[in-house]
Amino acid sequence: MRQPRALMSDADAVRALVNHRYFQPHRTPIQIFNRATDPFLPRVKTHLFDVLDDLDRRGLTNHVLVVTRYRIDPEDCARLNRLRHLKLTLLVTYSGIADQRIEPVDSAIAARSLQVAYQHAQRYRVVLYWRPLVPRLNDSPEHLARAVELSRHAHATVFTGLFYRGEIADYYRANGLPEPYDHTARRKIVPETLERRVLEAFDSATGGPLFRKTSCGVSFAHGVPDCNGHYGVRELCDICPLSQLGLCADAHRPPTEAQVRELAARLPDKEDLEIVQISERAATTAGLDEQPRYFLQHGLGFQIHDQRHPHRRRRHGRADIGWQREATA
């Protein structure tokens, strides 16, 4: 649908959220209007504010992530600064892609919103959500330099690649667009050479704090340990500020099997859970789908991996495309 349409009242939506079996007060990260529409569209943002106010009145301190590439005004910032409890983060999506067949919203709008939101931030934080990075499309030296410049108007920058799945590949072909990769993948694609160029650009030009994972950047912006427990995957941390490393190290507690099962007792499919291994890096499980695994991950503050989809060292949870093969984590 080109026009957003409400499916229920804001109050009913919040009640459905906080009463959901996988919701954990003060722990579960929340995203609002992430896949359905842009939360700052004129017809949508009044609902955004109402939902945020409702959650905040409940005294919840959960991370709330609001992803946008649309216009943010100083008046919007003033409204957001009234929040008292939520850890609110505005993730301003910026790609720098000029081809409107791929990026229909002018990236200049996001760049301006980033600067306005950062300038007025008091009770919330601002992340430059630099995505999707695609070779030969928005990875020129000029693109990288622009991202470094914009990173100085954010509390943190997170970079990530393209979810090149079947639907996107079909769209590229139908519109005569050059396909960026020969194969699709279930994880985001960031080739090794592209990551290296990004890190070098930020290092040589002293860009703002840079992160590979969204929750790492969000947690840094709020001065708290990573809610997803990525610290166990130490090669993720080689670009993190020392202050954040200290916070995450202090919070890093590999759970016992008994602790995992105690929390899993709240899951409807707990009988299917098999704990394959628990290491300093992560707990590997079998028998659970994505959402119950995230429930355990947020509740324990520790990585919970699926045996069916192993994480390979230095891939950082990304697709294998563009990387030399190494042993699994």
Side-chain angles (χ1 to χ4, degrees), residues 63 65 124 136 138 148 152 163 185 236 246 282 297 307 324:
H63 282 289
L65 281 58
Y124 62 87
R136 300 177 301 280
N138 63 338
V148 170
R152 302 186 184 114
F163 262 133
L236 277 172
Q297 183 164 291
Q307 186 184 38
Q324 297 181 359

Side-chain angles (χ1 to χ4, degrees), residues 19-165:
N19 291 318
H20 195 281
R21 60 162 57 101
Y22 293 147
F23 179 76
Q24 300 174 76
H26 315 298
R27 285 185 175 271
T28 304
I30 303 167
Q31 296 187 27
I32 301 179
F33 298 128
N34 185 34
R35 295 185 179 182
T37 183
D38 192 293
F40 278 92
L41 288 173
R43 289 182 57 186
V44 178
K45 66 182 178 181
T46 56
H47 299 280
L48 168 69
F49 296 146
D50 287 346
V51 168
L52 290 173
D53 288 344
D54 191 337
L55 292 168
D56 197 61
R57 284 194 301 270
R58 296 168 185 264
L60 295 170
T61 59
N62 299 63
H63 282 289
V64 178
L65 281 58
V66 176
V67 183
T68 182
R69 64 188 68 202
Y70 201 65
R71 187 175 297 108
I72 300 175
D73 300 321
E75 295 77 15
D76 301 326
C77 302
R79 179 72 183 270
L80 297 176
N81 280 324
R82 298 178 197 168
L83 299 172
R84 299 176 56 199
H85 304 290
L86 299 173
K87 296 184 186 73
L88 175 66
T89 305
L90 302 182
L91 294 105
V92 181
T93 297
Y94 172 87
S95 69
I97 297 173
D99 192 330
Q100 290 191 347
R101 294 173 299 174
I102 300 173
E103 178 60 273
V105 180
D106 189 341
S107 288
I109 297 174
R112 176 58 181 161
S113 291
L114 181 83
Q115 295 167 348
V116 169
Y118 182 69
Q119 178 184 354
H120 292 88
Q122 296 173 13
R123 280 286 302 123
Y124 62 87
R125 295 294 180 263
V126 181
V127 167
L128 169 59
Y129 217 11
W130 186 20
R131 64 171 193 168
L133 273 168
V134 185
R136 300 177 301 280
L137 188 59
N138 63 338
D139 67 334
S140 70
E142 293 75 21
H143 283 105
L144 300 187
R146 177 57 172 157
V148 170
E149 177 186 351
L150 288 174
S151 75
R152 302 186 184 114
H153 301 276
H155 297 100
T157 296
V158 175
F159 72 99
T160 188
L162 178 68
F163 262 133
Y164 195 58
R165 293 179 171 171

